[in-house]
Amino acid sequence: MTRQIKGLLYFFATDIRYSLMIFWTILLGILIVSLVISYFMLGVENGQLYFMFQFIYVYCGILGFITVKESIPFSLKMGATRKNLFISLGLFFLSIALMKAVIANTLHTVILYATDITNLHSFGFMHLAQLMEDTWINRVVIDTSLMFFFLTVMFLTGLLFYRYGLLGGGIVVGAGVILLLVGVAQGWLIDLFANLFSDLKLTIFLQIFGLGIVFYLLSFLLLKRITTVSTK
């Protein structure tokens, strides 16, 4: 690994440190409030409260989009090559997805163990892994795959807006929304999700991870000619 790639990885990590701390502080605050509410629901018949860590998907989507505007121009001005920038961002996205998946699902396991010991049966977690074998490793694989996918899709979307302006990016996003609406109207999109969830397997998420890699490779076509000035 070259010194420039190491430097870029250090810059990306320090650049998101503050927003990451704010996000996890809010998320853990909501988790604590949920546990407290669950305690008071113990006396309520059929009272049950569920929490999900999947808000981290949203954070990753936003991070992928704003990385284009906030990190790329500064990195180019500091002398980073586009090739090293592409490699560094790929490693950074994969690392952040894996780190967040490990932290979230380790907390998930620890809190479930604590609620079992304290008999806090009114609290539970919701996770896609519950539709198959619900293990720590399966949850980590699912979350890493989906977060990496959202990071790369939103990064590619951000590049489209950066290179081609509001009009160019809006046309591509609008075409995607229309395609989704047509899929819902014709029913094939609903059938697709119904089939996926009726026989959900871990390989589906590995395929989504592979799709994320394809999207990221496509982003190099836009990144290799990017400048420090975005198109309005």
Side-chain angles (χ1 to χ4, degrees):
M1 186 181 293
T2 67
R3 293 178 63 183
Q4 188 175 93
I5 292 176
K6 290 179 182 177
L8 285 169
L9 288 173
Y10 177 77
F11 163 63
F12 297 146
T14 52
D15 193 42
I16 69 160
R17 185 174 53 186
Y18 182 73
S19 67
L20 206 57
M21 287 175 59
I22 296 293
F23 173 80
W24 276 100
T25 301
I26 294 173
L27 190 62
L28 293 178
I30 296 173
L31 174 61
I32 292 170
V33 171
S34 300
L35 286 166
V36 172
I37 294 174
S38 299
Y39 174 77
F40 289 107
M41 290 176 65
L42 282 173
V44 179
E45 186 178 0
N46 298 324
Q48 190 75 23
L49 183 66
Y50 292 97
F51 181 85
M52 59 173 64
F53 276 110
Q54 279 60 44
F55 298 109
I56 53 181
Y57 298 173
V58 179
Y59 176 88
C60 285
I62 296 171
L63 176 64
F65 189 84
I66 65 174
T67 294
V68 177
K69 190 172 183 180
E70 294 191 355
S71 299
I72 288 179
F74 181 79
S75 301
L76 291 174
K77 289 176 183 175
M78 291 295 104
T81 65
R82 286 154 183 78
K83 180 182 175 183
N84 284 342
L85 198 54
F86 176 74
I87 296 171
S88 305
L89 283 171
L91 292 173
F92 174 67
F93 287 162
L94 182 59
S95 301
I96 201 76
L98 181 61
M99 182 191 71
K100 288 169 78 72
V102 168
I103 292 174
N105 289 293
T106 301
L107 282 171
H108 181 135
T109 302
V110 170
I111 292 171
L112 270 188
Y113 180 71
T115 53
D116 282 344
I117 291 177
T118 57
N119 202 26
L120 188 61
H121 52 75
S122 57
F123 180 83
F125 283 103
M126 293 181 68
H127 197 284
L128 284 170
Q130 291 166 338
L131 299 174
M132 56 180 83
E133 188 181 0
D134 187 7
T135 64
W136 182 87
I137 188 67
N138 281 357
R139 292 198 301 267
V140 169
V141 170
I142 291 170
D143 287 346
T144 303
S145 301
L146 289 177
M147 281 190 282
F148 183 74
F149 176 79
F150 285 125
L151 278 163
T152 55
V153 168
M154 293 306 292
F155 177 68
L156 188 58
T157 305
L159 283 174
L160 286 170
F161 277 95
Y162 191 90
R163 284 290 309 276
Y164 302 110
L166 190 60
L167 180 62
I171 290 173
V172 175
V173 173
V177 172
I178 290 172
L179 181 63
L180 289 176
L181 291 175
V182 170
V184 172
Q186 295 182 343
W188 57 263
L189 189 62
I190 297 173
D191 292 340
L192 174 65
F193 280 105
N195 291 331
L196 283 177
F197 285 104
S198 65
D199 187 24
L200 198 61
K201 295 178 180 176
L202 196 62
T203 52
I204 292 173
F205 296 99
L206 295 176
Q207 291 170 359
I208 291 174
F209 180 74
L211 195 57
I213 293 176
V214 172
F215 280 128
Y216 190 67
L217 292 175
L218 288 174
S219 73
F220 186 69
L221 298 175
L222 299 171
L223 191 61
K224 68 180 182 179
R225 293 181 180 175
I226 202 165
T227 66
T228 57
V229 180
S230 64
T231 304
K232 300 295 182 182

